[in-house]
Amino acid sequence: MANMAQAIRMALHYGEKNLGVTDIFGEDVGAPLGGAFTVTQGLETAWNSPLDERGIVSTAIGLGLAGDRCVAEIQFCDYIFNTIDLLKIAGNTLWCSNGQYNMPIVVMTPVGAGIRGSVYHSHSFDAWAARLPGWKVVMPSTPLDAYGLMISAIKDPNPVLFLKPKSLLRVRGEELLPGEPAEKELKSMIDAPIGDRSKWKARWPKLGEFEIPIGKGKIVHEGSDVTVVSYGRTLPLCVKAAQELATQGRSVEVIDLRSIYPYDWQMIRESVQKTGRVLFVNEDTEVTNFGEHLAYRVTQELFYEIHARPRVLAGKNLPGIGLHPNLEEASVPHYEDIVHELREVLEEVP
Amino acid sequence: MRQVQSTKSKAQMKTRPSAKKAAKKPSVKKTEKAQAKDRALGLLPKNQVLQMMDLMVKSRVLEERLIKVYKAGDAFFWIGGPGEEAFGVPLGLLTNKGQGPAYDYLHLHYRGTPTLIAMGMPYLESIRLIMNRATDRSTGGRNFANHYCYPEWNVVPVGSPIEVQYGMAIGTALAQRRRKMKKEASGVTIVTGGDAGSAEGDFASCLIWSSRPGNELPIYITVQNNKWGISTPFSEQHGEKNVADRGKAFGIRTNVVNGNDPIESYFQIQGDLDYIKKNTRPVLTEFHVSRLYGHSSASGANRDSGEDPIELFEKRLVDSKYVAPGFVKELWAQYDVESRQAADIARSEAGPSKDTIWDHVYADGENADWRKF
Ligand SMILES: Cc1ncc(C[n+]2csc(CCOP(=O)(O)OP(=O)(O)O)c2C)c(N)n1
Ligand SMILES: [Mg+2]
């Protein structure tokens, strides 16, 4: 099975072949490296840009104004912060022009902890991104979702921020992509060789179109006692926690939100109405966290239908994530935290 | 929506000169003896010289009307380009206007009225913008004066953040370079902005990205140096003699010209655009201009001292007997009437209604209000 890096690469290839993508660019995105996480290896329209995040985002905006389709990369979301006003502009161009200029661009960036990345390779961006009106924001947790969300992002006439959970980029999926060959064959076809790559060219499988609609979540584990809503790195941990609690007779429903904005409120609402309890899990810092918005909404709209306080489990409100595993684990949610929080929500007596 | 009186300047109506045709073949024939005194005037056909005078006055009268509209309490804020006419009008005349990469892109700052007037923008549209009317075709009442947006002329939305247009211009120029390399029709990208803003990193981005070896961009990087950033003098913050000198490190062709002289500006812009088209390479030109009503209404929008490009040009035209001494005054009065009529129309129009705030957050009418997800 493809891993998420390969899946995104194949979606980008599909985009340049079938959806009019003209430029896939950013720092070390082109040959020979093909991206810090190999996501852009072998792509025809991939090129290396100057080391200039503001230049990358503003060039994407200009390409969008000209009607070309691009996917721009910020190498780590930790370095996207000096582009925040440009992200605002991308999000407000259609609105400020009273509907006259679309901004059909995709910006992708790896996010989150889990690779011992220390202070500047472990940031999250979902809470910040949720405060960029005009953007759509997605974060997959499986290769197939990554493939389908990238295709939807490219097709979308609005700016889409595609957050790549970096600790999941090497994890293989459990579902085949449309047109995906066997694992070994895939590797020999689309992974650049170690060493000299000057003569290497990717051989692409015949891929099929597959879209995950932006704004639609997925129930990845059905349950009836409590709902947990997550996305990205923490999502598989929530599934594992649900499996563990199932052995103890507790039934946990896990929603992979997949889209942070617009988000699938109908799915959350129906699930919480069924379970009466909810936990939101993500790893961005906890103060003014996106999960807080969802918890607030549950409180406002479902107050009389729930049996426990809605909770948010998120990253500690710290200026950084320390390198030592003890520091990292104490800073962002990990498996035991999720199990613990779920037990608390389940055991709460109104 | 655009029930507008005139989109053509008075001179255009009288003589209908083709700026573009004339631009390709500047006539060096002297049409009047008096031109011997002012050789530069004779480089352009007389009707084109008069057209520039006309458009400069037309633009100034509009800006002064916008200021009056502000002072009368009919607008919240004014910012604009009085003092940049001798640069902005020739730029508008020389721009190949149209929609899409086959035509020139304009990434303007908030002093672009002279350029838009030269391109044919009617008064009413600018006044609707400053009065934030629902009929404001640039922003629908959402943004400030001089924040124009004309997709049919590739005038991309003018924004308030200083200098970001220099980065976005890279993208449109890249789209044009791609087409040029495929031998498809392609225009150039033109970006304008102030001197103080050139301290922002986006200016450096523009120089670097437009001169990547083997990927040089068809981009006209211009700076309108009025020697001020609000209240801060250029001389106190900038050690470089000219902003344009910074282009030299990148092998970019650079120029510093008197942007208060419309003839000098005209030929500079024309030559620069020709070079960019021919070579698919950037040019950086700094135009020294005036800021005649201060920074904006925040500093009072009162007449400042400083060289007035219109007065200077009028004097040249009178000295060279192109026009009689009262000519400009009369033109001024005519445009003043037109501007007042336009203001009266805009004043009578409604603002945008409250229920439109969610319009155009997303394309194609898609809901962006989380309450309705
Ligand atoms: C990024 C940013 N910083 C600050 C401001 C506030 N501001 C508006 S205009 C201006 C001065 C700009 O000077 P200059 O670039 O020389 O242009 P000019 O107004 O003189 O034409 C400043 C500081 C802004 N709009 N954007
Ligand atoms: Mg200035």
Side-chain angles (χ1 to χ4, degrees):
Chain A
M1 298 282 172
N3 64 33
M4 194 188 285
Q6 291 171 321
I8 299 172
R9 201 188 302 157
M10 287 190 271
L12 293 171
H13 170 72
Y14 187 87
E16 59 184 15
K17 278 290 165 233
N18 304 290
L19 306 174
V21 169
T22 53
D23 297 89
I24 298 166
F25 67 104
E27 294 155 16
D28 308 298
V29 159
L33 191 60
F37 292 89
T38 73
V39 164
T40 51
Q41 284 183 347
L43 296 164
E44 229 170 80
T45 62
W47 51 275
N48 292 325
S49 76
L51 202 168
D52 175 15
E53 287 77 17
R54 291 188 64 80
I56 292 167
V57 174
S58 45
T59 297
I61 294 173
L63 287 165
L65 290 170
D68 282 358
R69 293 272 168 161
C70 68
V71 180
E73 177 170 79
I74 299 297
Q75 199 163 60
F76 293 89
C77 82
D78 311 64
Y79 306 117
I80 203 171
F81 290 86
N82 74 336
T83 74
I84 201 110
D85 61 317
L86 297 167
L87 298 176
K88 280 184 69 99
I89 290 170
N92 73 27
T93 296
L94 180 69
W95 192 86
C96 286
S97 67
N98 206 23
Q100 298 187 84
Y101 269 104
N102 283 354
M103 188 50 64
I105 64 173
V106 180
V107 174
M108 60 178 184
T109 188
V111 297
I115 62 156
R116 307 295 178 223
S118 87
V119 184
Y120 274 93
H121 304 81
S122 305
H123 267 285
S124 287
F125 199 65
D126 46 292
W128 298 87
R131 298 185 50 79
L132 292 171
W135 281 81
K136 295 186 177 181
V137 185
V138 301
M139 169 132 64
S141 72
T142 70
L144 184 63
D145 283 355
Y147 183 80
L149 281 170
M150 179 55 84
I151 287 177
S152 295
I154 291 167
K155 285 182 152 185
D156 203 283
N158 301 289
V160 181
L161 191 58
F162 189 100
L163 303 178
K164 299 183 278 195
K166 66 173 91 77
S167 70
L168 299 182
L169 285 168
R170 295 273 173 277
V171 177
R172 304 205 170 279
E174 288 166 5
E175 301 153 296
L176 273 179
L177 272 50
E180 181 186 333
E183 193 173 306
K184 268 224 176 101
E185 199 189 341
L186 179 68
K187 186 173 169 46
S188 72
M189 289 172 81
I190 69 164
D191 283 2
I194 311 289
D196 181 20
R197 295 171 172 179
S198 55
K199 291 192 186 74
W200 176 74
K201 266 185 92 168
R203 287 180 296 119
W204 297 99
K206 201 162 167 29
L207 297 160
E209 179 146 338
F210 174 71
E211 279 180 71
I212 301 285
I214 296 176
K216 290 279 174 249
K218 186 181 180 189
I219 296 173
V220 292
H221 189 276
E222 282 188 33
S224 52
D225 297 341
V226 62
T227 302
V228 56
V229 181
S230 188
Y231 44 80
R233 180 184 70 84
T234 49
L235 192 279
L237 303 179
C238 292
V239 175
K240 194 174 155 204
Q243 288 161 347
E244 165 66 19
L245 289 169
T247 65
Q248 299 163 25
R250 310 312 303 259
S251 173
V252 181
E253 180 142 295
V254 184
I255 293 178
D256 185 349
L257 202 56
R258 305 193 292 194
S259 290
I260 292 157
Y261 212 91
Y263 59 86
D264 197 340
W265 175 245
Q266 298 307 323
M267 181 173 283
I268 297 171
R269 186 171 51 90
E270 278 164 34
S271 179
V272 176
Q273 282 173 326
K274 177 174 70 178
T275 62
R277 296 167 194 266
V278 64
L279 169 68
F280 298 98
V281 182
N282 67 65
E283 57 177 316
D284 207 337
T285 47
E286 60 203 343
V287 176
T288 324
N289 179 279
F290 180 61
E292 288 184 334
H293 165 72
L294 298 174
Y296 164 79
R297 190 160 184 191
V298 168
T299 315
Q300 294 301 304
E301 297 185 26
L302 303 171
F303 188 68
Y304 297 106
E305 298 175 61
I306 51 179
H307 313 304
R309 292 166 295 147
R311 290 181 193 226
V312 177
L313 175 61
K316 302 288 190 305
N317 199 35
L318 293 165
I321 290 169
L323 176 58
H324 192 280
N326 284 346
L327 303 177
E328 177 168 324
E329 278 160 30
S331 305
V332 290
H334 53 112
Y335 172 67
E336 285 78 14
D337 297 326
I338 296 169
V339 173
H340 174 79
E341 283 293 311
L342 278 171
R343 282 219 179 91
E344 295 233 318
V345 186
L346 281 163
E347 280 155 23
E348 184 160 321
V349 181
Chain B
M1 190 165 95
R2 272 174 274 162
Q3 65 277 63
V4 184
Q5 305 91 336
S6 79
T7 55
K8 291 209 166 65
S9 71
K10 302 270 188 273
Q12 274 173 319
M13 286 188 292
K14 272 180 235 155
T15 57
R16 298 191 182 280
S18 161
K20 259 165 240 138
K21 241 192 226 159
K24 277 187 198 116
K25 296 188 237 158
S27 158
V28 286
K29 248 205 245 158
K30 287 179 193 156
T31 50
E32 300 217 354
K33 259 197 216 150
Q35 282 174 12
K37 282 191 213 136
D38 192 338
R39 290 174 147 262
L41 280 185
L43 297 174
L44 277 176
K46 183 175 175 184
N47 57 8
Q48 215 175 324
V49 171
L50 293 178
Q51 182 197 24
M52 283 217 280
M53 178 82 254
D54 183 300
L55 289 167
M56 287 167 68
V57 173
K58 187 176 185 186
S59 176
R60 177 69 60 79
V61 172
L62 172 59
E63 288 287 17
E64 291 186 345
R65 176 60 53 194
L66 297 180
I67 291 169
K68 285 177 196 142
V69 162
Y70 163 75
K71 290 190 174 177
D74 287 326
F76 297 110
F77 181 70
W78 168 82
I79 193 159
E84 295 199 5
E85 294 88 356
F87 158 74
V89 163
L91 181 68
L93 290 173
L94 289 162
T95 296
N96 183 19
K97 69 180 188 194
Q99 187 159 14
Y103 299 90
D104 296 345
Y105 277 100
L106 283 162
H107 297 257
L108 301 175
H109 69 157
Y110 45 67
R111 305 200 191 277
T113 284
T115 302
L116 268 295
I117 283 290
M119 292 173 83
M121 173 184 69
Y123 274 0
L124 184 54
E125 295 184 1
S126 180
I127 296 173
R128 284 170 166 159
L129 171 60
I130 195 174
M131 286 195 192
N132 41 89
R133 295 307 192 231
T135 50
D136 153 31
R137 51 136 307 156
S138 285
T139 80
R142 290 173 173 190
N143 217 338
F144 280 155
N146 258 277
H147 286 49
Y148 298 116
C149 170
Y150 284 78
E152 68 272 38
W153 295 340
N154 280 347
V155 175
V156 304
V158 175
S160 299
I162 295 293
E163 220 65 7
V164 294
Q165 70 273 28
Y166 287 81
M168 302 190 305
I170 300 163
T172 54
L174 189 59
Q176 290 169 318
R177 179 191 158 85
R178 183 182 358 264
R179 284 158 182 81
K180 177 97 193 248
M181 294 300 137
K182 287 197 228 153
K183 307 249 182 297
E184 292 171 15
S186 68
V188 309
T189 285
I190 299 160
V191 55
T192 74
D195 49 296
S198 69
E200 297 275 7
D202 299 310
F203 185 76
S205 292
C206 192
L207 300 179
I208 289 172
W209 288 65
S210 62
S211 59
R212 292 164 62 227
N215 280 292
E216 292 84 358
L217 299 179
I219 179 169
Y220 192 25
I221 309 165
T222 75
V223 175
Q224 287 70 65
N225 188 345
N226 60 18
K227 294 153 205 80
W228 291 99
I230 305 187
S231 68
T232 305
F234 180 77
S235 56
E236 284 178 9
Q237 307 301 329
H238 287 256
E240 75 269 36
K241 185 157 176 283
N242 302 298
V243 176
D245 292 343
R246 293 169 63 190
K248 290 179 183 163
F250 300 90
I252 295 175
R253 180 189 269 209
T254 65
N255 316 279
V256 181
V257 298
N258 177 9
N260 279 340
D261 178 344
I263 306 289
E264 186 175 338
S265 294
Y266 186 95
F267 284 108
Q268 185 67 48
I269 296 167
Q270 186 184 51
D272 288 346
L273 291 174
D274 283 349
Y275 169 90
I276 295 164
K277 282 175 203 161
K278 201 172 294 158
N279 300 288
T280 317
R281 292 186 70 92
V283 171
L284 165 56
T285 299
E286 176 176 349
F287 294 85
H288 283 262
V289 296
S290 296
R291 190 184 76 172
L292 290 178
Y293 282 84
H295 175 71
S296 70
S297 56
S299 47
N302 295 317
R303 178 71 190 219
D304 260 355
S305 60
E307 218 174 65
D308 184 335
I310 294 183
E311 280 173 16
L312 291 176
F313 199 39
E314 179 188 10
K315 187 170 181 310
R316 283 171 73 181
L317 296 196
V318 171
D319 288 351
S320 301
K321 303 212 162 43
Y322 271 48
V323 299
F327 176 81
V328 165
K329 201 172 165 205
E330 197 186 307
L331 198 57
W332 210 287
Q334 284 172 27
Y335 280 132
D336 195 51
V337 171
E338 189 180 325
S339 76
R340 191 169 327 170
Q341 286 167 347
D344 287 344
I345 294 170
R347 198 176 296 110
S348 71
E349 293 175 342
S353 63
K354 291 182 177 176
D355 60 0
T356 61
I357 55 168
W358 291 100
D359 292 354
H360 312 302
V361 178
Y362 288 144
D364 308 325
E366 184 180 338
N367 171 54
D369 181 358
W370 57 272
R371 293 165 192 81
K372 297 177 186 158
F373 286 166

